[in-house]
Amino acid sequence: MSCYPPSTRRRAARGLGHQTAVAHDGVRALALASEFRPAIALLDIGLPVMDGYELARKLRASAGGAQLRLIAVTGYGEARDRSRALEAGFDHHLVKPLDLKVLVQLLS
């Protein structure tokens, strides 16, 4: 089963007992993370204002960032894209449309 819409990802996370928060650009996501203090972050690479790579680096450098599980959610699926995501600090790189089973395993 594939899972593309963000609403489906939020429902999956909530179904596993996670609280969720949403930001629509990297700058807001960084501010929200300092308030919300997530354990897991699903980040789109193609965010406006600040892309997901820069956001991942900034989250890793923030207080508690080393323990944060970062999951890239992107349409960029080439080997170079995966390498770039890992170099930026992501733990996992998922290509859209997402496989719901894989997402559930990463959120568990």
Side-chain angles (χ1 to χ4, degrees), residues 59-71:
L59 286 170
R60 282 285 180 229
S62 68
Q67 294 80 26
L68 180 60
R69 188 181 323 164
L70 296 177
I71 303 170

Side-chain angles (χ1 to χ4, degrees), residues 8 12 14 39-40 42 53 67 73 81-82 85 91 99 106-107:
T8 302
R14 288 178 184 152
I40 302 169
L42 294 137
Y53 300 119
Q67 294 80 26
V73 177
D81 302 315
R82 291 179 189 279
D91 299 297
D99 182 323
L106 292 176
L107 293 176

Side-chain angles (χ1 to χ4, degrees), residues 43-45 51-62 65 68 70-72 80-93:
L43 307 177
D44 196 319
I45 297 297
D51 69 25
Y53 300 119
E54 184 179 353
L55 177 56
R57 286 189 289 273
K58 289 183 182 236
L59 286 170
R60 282 285 180 229
S62 68
L68 180 60
L70 296 177
I71 303 170
R80 180 179 179 278
D81 302 315
R82 291 179 189 279
S83 295
R84 191 170 173 204
L86 295 176
E87 289 168 8
F90 284 98
D91 299 297
H92 304 280
H93 181 269

Side-chain angles (χ1 to χ4, degrees), residues 21-34:
V22 177
H24 297 285
D25 66 67
V27 172
R28 178 67 188 128
L30 192 59
L32 184 62
S34 69

Side-chain angles (χ1 to χ4, degrees), residues 10-27:
R10 284 191 301 274
R11 281 195 305 272
R14 288 178 184 152
L16 293 169
H18 296 284
Q19 294 179 344
T20 62
V22 177
H24 297 285
D25 66 67
V27 172

